[in-house]
Amino acid sequence: MNAPMTLRKVLSWRRRPRLRKLSPMEKLSAVFLVLLSIFMLLPLVYIFNHALKPYQELFIYPPNIFARHPSLQNFVEPLSITKGTATPITRYIFNSVVVAILCVIIVTVVSAMCAYPISKHKFPGHKLVFGSILLTLLFAPETVAIPRYLVVSKLGIMNTYLGHVMPMVAVPTGVFLMKQFIDQSPNELLDSAKIDGAREYTIFMKIVIPVIMPAVATIGIIAFNAAWGNTETSTLFMQDEEMKTFPFYISTLTSGMANNVARQGAAAAAALLMFLPNLIIFLLFQSKVIATMAHSGIK
């Protein structure tokens, strides 16, 4: 008789709403987190609505978060601006996509290949090399602008996609994160693979890379954000207009205007187009980012 009674109690307990299982303090914390989440979403709501506002709503005071009369005219305006020019807006977007993809691939590969020997091979001076890489985090980008320009010029990669990519290949943060993950890979596992006849390339691709996938995804997001929003390479290294990127085009929409009203609608739509890829990439790989922050690895 006790067994059926116990079973009924368990089933009824499972059918109870989860909120009833929470303590008053947990309920209060949940309400606070929900309100905080709504507050954190306000910038996203604003940037979407701002791109849909017609001109008469862009400059009203006090400003409105929500568009009263949504319009897609702001998205048509950037196309019409470049319609009669030699370089259409699609060329700027194409350049940005190519540069972002190349940066993600090259940055992640270079960071992983740099972190692996520092972590596992322990060559003479590996601590000095790693310390030098971390030391570069102290330098502001402006301090290396002139040496970077001279290097790109001497290599002869001005007005090429390599001129966009090469200045952004070295990412000290990527080397640091990947080294921390590779450190968690046990040396015994790598030694057993070597005994079985595995070469360094096989060990790196089959054992090390799967371990550091959270770090690879995180560094990929960082590299994409840096490349997608970068205007420095277009300004300094690209003289041909057809080799410049979409962020540079956005920066020219309102520059040199006699007032701050002209093309603000186009700038709002272009800002949303710049923001959407970053949002999509983060939503797709947010679990990997969380795993990196939790510093997970082999358990």
Side-chain angles (χ1 to χ4, degrees), residues 95-294:
N95 291 339
S96 290
V97 171
V98 172
V99 170
I101 293 174
L102 289 176
C103 279
V104 169
I105 296 174
I106 296 177
V107 167
T108 52
V109 171
V110 170
S111 298
M113 294 181 67
C114 179
Y116 174 60
I118 294 176
S119 175
K120 293 302 180 184
H121 284 270
K122 307 296 183 183
F123 55 89
H126 71 278
K127 291 184 178 180
L128 179 62
V129 173
F130 185 60
S132 301
I133 293 173
L134 295 183
L135 186 63
T136 59
L137 293 171
L138 301 177
F139 294 94
E142 293 77 12
T143 60
V144 295
I146 295 177
R148 186 179 296 171
Y149 177 84
L150 294 176
V151 170
V152 172
S153 177
K154 294 296 182 180
L155 290 176
I157 56 176
M158 306 280 279
N159 294 314
T160 63
Y161 287 119
L162 282 178
H164 283 291
V165 176
M166 292 303 293
M168 293 186 288
V169 166
V171 181
T173 307
V175 178
F176 173 76
L177 285 178
M178 290 192 178
K179 179 186 177 299
Q180 299 305 107
F181 267 76
I182 295 174
D183 286 344
Q184 299 180 50
S185 179
N187 294 327
E188 293 78 7
L189 181 63
L190 304 184
D191 292 338
S192 62
K194 292 178 181 179
I195 293 173
D196 291 338
R199 298 182 178 181
E200 289 292 341
Y201 175 79
T202 304
I203 295 173
F204 180 73
M205 295 301 298
K206 300 294 185 180
I207 300 177
V208 175
I209 291 298
V211 171
I212 64 173
M213 279 308 296
V216 169
T218 303
I219 299 307
I221 293 175
I222 294 174
F224 180 85
N225 290 340
W228 184 253
N230 182 53
T231 60
E232 179 185 358
T233 55
S234 295
T235 304
L236 298 180
F237 311 139
M238 304 296 143
Q239 286 76 42
D240 295 341
E241 193 68 23
E242 63 180 11
M243 288 304 300
K244 296 182 178 180
T245 56
F246 190 54
F248 176 84
Y249 169 73
I250 293 177
S251 67
T252 62
L253 285 177
T254 56
S255 63
M257 296 286 105
N259 55 65
N260 292 327
V261 177
R263 297 183 179 175
Q264 285 296 328
L272 177 60
L273 295 177
M274 282 293 300
F275 169 74
L276 277 178
N278 292 329
L279 177 63
I280 294 172
I281 293 295
F282 178 77
L283 292 177
L284 291 176
F285 297 101
Q286 62 175 331
S287 61
K288 299 295 184 181
V289 176
I290 295 172
T292 302
M293 298 309 168

